[in-house]
Amino acid sequence: MKILGIESSADETAAAVVEDGRFMLSSTVASSLDLHKVYGGIVPEIAARSHIEIIIPVIKLALADAGCGWDDIDAIAVTNRPGLIGSLLIGVLTARTLAITKRKPLYGINHVLAHAYANFITATRLPGYTLSESPPRVPALGLIVSGGHTQVMLYRSHADYELLGQTRDDAVGEAFDKVAKILGLPYPGGPSIDKAAQKGNPTSVKLPNPKLDNRYDFSFSGLKTAVLRAAQQLAGKDFTLPSTELPALLTESQKADLAASFQRAAIDILADAMTAAEKQYRPESVLLAGGVAANNSLRETLSRRLQAPLLYPDIKLCTDNAAMIASAAYYWQQTADNPYELSVIPSL
Ligand code: KG4
Ligand code: ZN
């Protein structure tokens, strides 16, 4: 079964063809990230306009790379929740139109839950991908960490999953992005912090590890504020100093120490929750997914602290892509949606 996946929930416009949920025939991703950099975050209107301009070429390229015509495609899967409303609309309206005109079943897919399915892509002829040899075993725990989400999932089977916990405030990727801004490091903040942290001492700045009543829930906004206070103190100033003036007052080594200490604290918070979840649910595998899954230190810490095998996708499949959408649609086997009615759900 060949499924065409379409993804447009944030700043990436993506299309992919995946056969039987595992074999990735193509994966095309166009990003408007460069257009947002100057603003320090995604500008929804710019993202939506970029999707409109590029979505048809991206889909055509995904079909051509896969060597597929429309007759070869069995179904269309599209992210319809959650995400930026204008961005979601472009993908969903395109998918609905194609489903009607090409007479294909249509599946609306939850982007966050689908992230874990990047781990089910186990074969491709495309160059430059390192993939696991076999699909993960369920029951599995999922840690979905991105700019918009921080969720701990239990997948008892493909059709039976449960949200064990999530962030109560900032997503972990958002915290990386905001701390990078405090330190004057370029957007997106995750890779910038990751890089700066390599030259810093992770124990140099003491930061909080909040404990909530649900041990699978998270809070990152206090951690981000603690970094701000520590940075103001290192700069010899108090809390009245505007954060925009901080980067100029900090040395490179102070920035590296703050980055390393923040990264260590954020990873410890995630790892504490996952080790507790593993003890309680005894999964066959643990699936890491989302943009923050690209972080090497997170991967190393989880691999060290967990007993079950930790799986994480190739870096190109950690961030937003459409192969994970097509794979999730295959495994979930949902009832097809009405192409005249499928709506977008910006927040869940
Ligand atoms: O999954 P994704 O591409 O988009 C969302 O759905 O949010 O994730 C993007 C997020 C950003 O917050 C970015 O800073 C973070 O993933 N990120 C990282 C790394 N690479 C990307 N965070 C930590 N370390 C990294 N190496
Ligand atoms: Zn995502």
Side-chain angles (χ1 to χ4, degrees), residues 7 12 14-16 24 26-30 115 118-119 121 124 126-131 289-291 293-295 299 312-324:
E7 157 63 41
E12 269 95 18
M24 181 169 61
S26 65
S27 178
T28 305
V29 182
H115 256 298
N119 288 292
I121 309 279
T124 189
L126 301 172
Y129 283 89
T130 310
L131 304 174
N295 189 286
R299 294 173 173 189
Y312 42 82
D314 184 277
I315 203 146
K316 292 181 283 308
L317 295 173
C318 281
T319 49
D320 288 353
N321 65 86
M324 68 187 196

Side-chain angles (χ1 to χ4, degrees), residues 183-185 196-197 234 246-248 250-260:
L183 303 181
L185 302 173
L234 282 173
L246 262 173
L250 294 169
T251 65
E252 287 309 305
S253 103
Q254 285 171 329
K255 286 181 190 174
D257 284 348
L258 284 162

Side-chain angles (χ1 to χ4, degrees), residues 49-129:
R49 205 173 311 140
S50 303
H51 288 307
I52 294 179
E53 285 169 3
I54 203 77
I55 195 157
I56 300 295
V58 162
I59 292 171
K60 280 189 172 162
L61 191 57
L63 290 171
D65 284 354
C68 288
W70 281 105
D71 286 349
D72 304 310
I73 298 297
D74 298 297
I76 298 174
V78 63
T79 298
N80 76 324
R81 63 196 191 276
L84 300 169
I85 185 162
S87 291
L88 285 170
L89 276 169
I90 311 304
V92 168
L93 290 173
T94 305
R96 283 172 51 175
T97 308
L98 289 170
I100 294 165
T101 55
K102 308 293 180 190
R103 296 176 201 279
K104 306 290 175 190
L106 177 67
Y107 300 96
I109 297 292
N110 179 319
H111 174 95
V112 182
L113 299 183
H115 256 298
Y117 281 76
N119 288 292
F120 286 82
I121 309 279
T122 48
T124 189
R125 286 196 202 101
L126 301 172
Y129 283 89

